[in-house]
């Protein structure tokens, strides 16, 4: 299923996501996977379960192919897997337009002939990186922050088809994400304060409803 974690900036969404995928270990309590505390699991095997696209992602000055393939280093040499991730990240068209295709160097830090990308294009590279290798759970933290809300909805229209039968956790302060979800959790001050579907949370007239009212003009029916 698709689960969405929403809340205003500073509510604790990103911190929780880093605890979940094992990056942030300084916490009290337990994080359980199939009833087992993740602190007792093999770290490398646990990390491999996740395809993660963080809000602050790295722009590697290597080829487009390598930028995406690094999302699952074990399968980096599998051209078919990389091409699948490029397609899921809506990068196939960009790759076809580049002089050397997916093997074009991105950025000019180490290569004067490197290709500069826009913020939105880099964001799609980060998305494709998260999809690389068919991870068990795709975790996306504000993955479309550099993309306008209407383009965001277009990119996410086929999200269910992209992830297939895997789980996904979407983290955002944008309601457009939440409307895709099977379940929504609302965070405030480091705690989950509301839970339910989009319709259920609107009817509660709580924080989620407040966020929706503040953003709804961006998602009016007929503007997408």
């Amino acid at each position: 299923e698709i689960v969405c974690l929403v809340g205003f900036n500073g509510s604790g969404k990103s911190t929780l996501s880093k605890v979940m995928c094992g990056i942030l270990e300084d916490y009290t309590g337990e994080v359980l996977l199939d009833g087992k505390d993740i602190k007792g699991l093999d770290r490398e095997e646990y990390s491999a379960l996740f395809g993660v696209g963080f809000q602050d992602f790295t722009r590697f000055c290597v080829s487009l192919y390598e930028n995406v393939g690094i999302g699952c280093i074990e399968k980096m040499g599998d051209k078919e897997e990389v091409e699948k991730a490029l397609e899921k990240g809506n990068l196939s068209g960009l790759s076809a337009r580049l002089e050397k295709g997916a093997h074009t160097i991105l950025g000019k830090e180490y290569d004067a002939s490197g290709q500069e990308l826009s913020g939105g294009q880099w964001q799609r590279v980060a998305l494709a990186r998260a999809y690389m290798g068919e991870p068990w759970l795709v975790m996306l933290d504000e993955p479309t922050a550099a993309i306008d809300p209407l383009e965001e909805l277009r990119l996410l229209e086929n999200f269910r088809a992209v992830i297939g039968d895997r789980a996904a956790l979407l983290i955002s302060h944008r309601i457009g994400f939440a409307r895709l979800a099977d379940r929504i959790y609302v965070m405030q001050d480091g705690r989950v304060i509301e839970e339910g579907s989009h319709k259920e949370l609107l009817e509660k007239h709580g924080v989620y409803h407040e966020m929706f009212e503040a953003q709804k003009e961006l998602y009016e029916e007929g503007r997408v």
Side-chain angles (χ1 to χ4, degrees), residues 36-223:
K36 298 178 181 178
D37 192 327
I38 66 170
K39 288 184 177 179
L41 302 178
D42 181 88
R43 185 183 180 90
E44 188 172 333
E45 290 181 4
Y46 182 73
S47 296
L49 297 174
F50 298 88
V52 182
F54 285 123
Q55 182 176 358
D56 299 318
F57 57 87
T58 301
R59 305 182 183 197
F60 296 106
C61 292
V62 294
S63 70
L64 173 60
Y65 181 101
E66 292 167 318
N67 258 288
V68 173
I70 203 170
C72 183
I73 294 176
E74 296 84 355
K75 297 183 179 181
M76 199 168 182
D78 189 329
K79 182 180 177 182
E80 184 178 342
E81 285 290 340
V82 176
E83 289 179 345
K84 280 165 56 179
L86 285 166
E87 184 176 353
K88 289 180 178 180
N90 194 26
L91 287 170
S92 297
L94 172 64
S95 177
R97 293 192 300 272
L98 295 176
E99 184 179 352
K100 297 181 181 179
H103 295 285
T104 302
I105 299 296
L106 303 185
K108 297 181 180 294
E109 186 172 354
Y110 303 115
D111 189 335
S113 64
Q115 176 69 45
E116 296 286 7
L117 298 184
S118 68
Q121 288 171 328
W122 270 116
Q123 197 109 54
R124 290 200 291 274
V125 171
L127 273 173
R129 193 181 295 161
Y131 296 142
M132 177 64 192
E134 307 290 348
W136 170 73
L137 187 147
V138 175
M139 182 184 290
L140 304 179
D141 185 1
E142 300 284 9
T144 57
I147 301 171
D148 70 76
L150 298 183
E151 178 64 16
E152 169 192 271
L153 289 184
R154 293 188 186 100
L155 287 173
L156 294 175
E157 276 180 349
N158 297 319
F159 185 69
R160 286 187 182 274
V162 167
I163 64 168
D165 60 356
R166 286 174 296 282
L169 176 66
L170 302 177
I171 303 165
S172 184
H173 66 280
R174 289 185 177 181
I175 297 301
F177 269 88
R179 293 167 71 172
L180 287 169
D182 300 298
R183 284 190 292 149
I184 303 166
Y185 292 94
V186 183
M187 287 194 70
Q188 187 175 69
D189 298 326
R191 295 178 178 276
V192 172
I193 60 170
E194 295 175 8
E195 173 189 352
S197 66
H198 174 71
K199 182 175 183 294
E200 290 168 345
L201 289 173
L202 285 181
E203 292 173 349
K204 290 183 178 180
H205 290 272
V207 172
Y208 185 85
H209 182 270
E210 179 185 348
M211 293 178 67
F212 177 77
E213 287 297 311
Q215 299 178 32
K216 68 179 181 181
E217 70 276 6
L218 300 176
Y219 302 103
E220 286 177 352
E221 188 174 352
R223 290 184 57 185

